[in-house]
Amino acid sequence: MSNPVLNYFSEFKVLKSASRDFWLTNAIQFFDGLAYFSMVTVLTIYLTTNCGLNDVDAGKWFGIYMLFVTAFMFGVGSICDVMGIRKSYLVGFSLLAVSRLGLGVAPVFLHGATLQWVVKGILLVMSLGTAFISPVTMTSLRRYTTKAVRATGFNVYYLMMNIGAIIANALIVDGFAKIWGDVTAKLAILDFGFLMSLCAIGGALLLREDNYAEPSERSSGTNDTKRPLSILLEVWRERAFQKLLLFLVLTIGVRLIFTNQMLVMPKYYTRVLYTDFELGLASSINPLIIVLGLIAIIPIINRFATVRLIIIGMAISAFSLVFLALPLEWVMQVPGIHNVTQAYLFVIMAQIVVFAFGELIFMPRFTEYIASASPPDKVSSYMALAAMPMFIAKPINGFVSGILISKYCYDGIRPKIDTGNVTFGNSPEFMWIIYLILAALSPLAVIALRNFLTHQTPVPAAATAKEDRPS
Amino acid sequence: MRKYRLILIDTLILCVVSSVLAVAVNFAVAKLKGEAKKDDPIVIAIIQADATEVEKLVQKGADVTNETDELGRSALMRAAFVNLSAARDEPGQQGVLSNIDAKRVGLVGLLLSHGARRDTRDHDGWTALMWAAWSGLTQVVAKLLESGASPEFADRQGNTALIIAAQRGHAAIVAALLAKGADAAQANHGGHTALAAAKTGLAQCPDQAVGFAAVIAQLTPAQSPAGDSGSR
């Protein structure tokens, strides 16, 4: 095999023929990625430190935000088909601009309960804006690419999104914290998000609505837009859908780790280490590994069967939590580790790297599995409804994470750890035992039901992966 | 327009379902755990180092005397706690910790002047002095000692403010505590005195040798002839 890096990028040559609108879509996504990824890294800490929500309420409202993003996305996907790309982008980014600015300035002017209710309201507005972006982008990328270059176009999009995540975390989150300090930096990050939304609006204004790279895909103007609930009613009774739903429910445990990256990790890092911990740097390692993996590893692992890779990927992702669940005294026995800070840094880095590797194997094949388990004429419907189990799991995890953090990883736990006042049963490590058990159930359940799940399901031995990132 | 109407109706239904789901989960969680205690607004103002807001809240009658959080921590303790990567500033430099210390000492003074109890203990037995000793807030420690805070309290593990400061290598705080009569011979339940804690700290963090060496130098001549056996 020749150089995988050259192989990967040589594929992009075909995009020389891609239209200006395709590149504008990528630029819009890049701006939004900078705003989105920097915001989600600090949102839970912002809700507590800047707005005064306790850990339980912060987790709860982050969970509600994610719940409404998913709920709105069901409906907004259909609205975007009717409104068109440009208008949908403008509506979505206008809502995001207003809400990001609102979050950025509200704590300056408001205090106490008033501030908290205003922020909760803004989170709901932001969830509607966020829900617009993903479906419009998918439509936009399809419309502005020919069938011949579409797969490459999506690869560029995923690459740009991950690069955006790296820059947002490493430069924006940490850079702003260094300039303005921990508390004010959160506001600056949200204000930066407002500016990025304005840039995205500028880009959206330049898009041409009537540009179809494939003229055959131009809408006939007939009423072919489906009602969101009709999709559900259409497939609800189908055996294939029920099996897919079971598969998705079984995998919730391990997929919760993805939401934990935003819900639990920021507070965990800053409380077991220190409040000025480089949160952005830690959060940028995951997308960095994904980018490198997309280039070097995906071509190799694509040779293996989908379900096997899903199980292996899930097992690796779940296993990553073992590092966080280890008693600290055990970690202190590792050569080169002399103190509590080093021990926590070691387990955190180990978890990030191992989890990213598992995600790299698991996520692309997960999306592929959903597509392959769907009847050929209903792939879109199945894909849209695949979010359903997580729709229920997200708010539950939001609430549960808040409770677990407030009990096992409260602000001020580090001094108590240092002085031996925290037993294992009350430690952050115990919190991770709970999450580890939930996560480990997923690969075990899929292994146990593998024959049932794959029976009569067309699973390709090796197919081209479409890398996906959780929103 | 009909297209929009049908889609909006469905979206509205989804929103209602989402809201019902959120309310149901909230209800279930509240039943399981009970309503979580809210952070006192004054604590938020302290974390944000917003002296004006703290003053305003105190003037409005915020209870800084008896109010504690779920872990038994008072506003004074929260004002005496920070957790920064640098345990101390470089000698002779005005760094981040010194800046925070300067802000927090004002807040601590304000809280004390409005009746905050200096020796309230949280569920682990920590006082505001212990939080400040761990955090390396030299001026806050001095302020608390000046107001009459006792250096003699020990937590559930037998750690005193002196042991905690020694374990972290805060030489100036150790000096302040010794000057106020802190017992250098007192050991925690593990049998470690402040000197032993400083030596362990030095072994664990050799990169902070200067701070630990200064602590060890202060504690070595101060030891009683009974050495490390003075546990109580």
Side-chain angles (χ1 to χ4, degrees), chain A residues 49-50 54 57 60 71-72 79 83 227 229 273 275-276 338-339 399 403 411 416 418-419 421, chain B residues 4 7 10 15 18 26 29 37-38 44 48 71 73 83 85 122 124 126 134 155-156 159 167 204:
Chain A
T49 309
N50 297 81
N54 60 24
D57 281 349
K60 182 196 298 183
F72 284 133
I79 292 175
M83 282 172 68
R227 289 180 60 175
L229 291 180
L273 287 168
T275 48
D276 52 343
H338 304 296
N339 56 49
F399 285 59
I403 292 170
D411 184 27
K416 303 299 180 75
D418 280 354
T419 50
N421 280 289
Chain B
Y4 278 114
I7 294 168
D10 282 5
C15 285
S18 302
N26 190 28
V29 169
K37 194 169 181 178
K38 307 280 179 200
I44 302 304
Q48 294 174 2
L71 300 162
R73 296 176 300 183
N83 179 14
S85 53
D122 68 16
D124 291 315
W126 278 45
W134 186 90
D155 68 8
R156 285 193 305 159
N159 299 301
Q167 184 193 24
Q204 290 182 343

Side-chain angles (χ1 to χ4, degrees), chain A residues 19-42:
Chain A
S19 69
R20 185 197 69 168
D21 296 312
F22 167 77
W23 293 110
L24 268 175
T25 303
N26 277 295
I28 290 167
Q29 270 312 294
F30 183 71
F31 293 136
D32 185 57
L34 289 180
Y36 175 79
F37 287 109
S38 54
M39 182 206 71
V40 292
T41 301
V42 301

Side-chain angles (χ1 to χ4, degrees), chain A residues 367-385:
Chain A
T367 314
E368 181 190 329
Y369 178 83
I370 296 168
S372 65
S374 318
D377 58 330
K378 290 177 179 166
V379 174
S380 310
S381 304
Y382 275 51
M383 292 289 271
L385 293 169

